[in-house]
Amino acid sequence: METVDLDERRRVSDVFDVVESLRLRRWFVGVDPDADRDLAARLAVVSHDADLRDALCAKLIEPGLERLRFEYIARRDPRAPRLLLDNQRRPWYQSSYNVREMVSREFHQDVPWLLASLSDVAGGDVDRVGLLEAAAYLSFMQDDPLPALQGYLSRLGKIAPDSVMASSVHSAVSASVFPAYVMESQVERAAQVLPDDAVMVDGARRDGAPVR
């Protein structure tokens, strides 16, 4: 039992270290295929551990998540639900919490694309699932263009059609439910469709244009 616990701690710590290393330098896929396979193998463990995958996703949208909180989430500590709730509350309820800007600033690379690319060399389909789930999740949270997000979801659907993560992202997109900063941006763009002086007044527009 102690050996299992030690192995789990090592896996959790290793995934955390990988994410931290990606904050220090950009990873160039294809430059060193052996290094790519090694990195993919270190991250592929999330495909076999939903709690560790959740910790990875939490770290990706909150790069400053420290090791202890990461470990609590990954090891399903009694404090994990509260930590995950706090982690999700910011992007969903605080429009100032811009995931796209934060990820770009902290990682200096397209992380969903990186995860998806590493999944190609991670081994069998069972080893690829967690990487593609994390890619799709972050792609959604950072408001990637829809074709990019659909690409990750499509790849995930081919190897894990019952993925809860994929289903959740699909449902959110279909219902037009997005993080707070995305919703606010959509409202601002919609407000720009009509100029401020084109407000309706007694059935007519102030700028004199006919009402159709």
Side-chain angles (χ1 to χ4, degrees), residues 27 29 36 39-40 43 113-122 131:
W27 188 272
V29 176
D36 288 345
L39 184 64
L43 287 173
W113 180 87
L114 173 63
L115 294 173
S117 298
L118 291 174
S119 77
D120 291 336
V121 295
L131 289 169

Side-chain angles (χ1 to χ4, degrees), residues 10-37:
R10 285 174 176 166
R11 287 195 303 272
V12 169
S13 182
D14 193 43
V15 171
F16 181 90
D17 289 341
V18 167
V19 179
E20 284 293 288
S21 72
L22 295 177
R23 296 176 67 190
L24 297 176
R25 69 182 182 95
R26 183 174 182 178
W27 188 272
F28 293 93
V29 176
V31 173
D32 185 340
D34 289 335
D36 288 345
R37 283 189 288 271

Side-chain angles (χ1 to χ4, degrees), residues 65-84:
L65 185 74
E66 65 272 18
R67 186 182 299 272
L68 186 59
R69 283 196 294 155
F70 182 91
E71 291 179 351
Y72 284 156
I73 295 171
R75 304 186 70 220
R76 198 179 293 185
D77 182 271
R79 288 159 284 203
R82 179 66 183 181
L83 292 173
L84 280 172

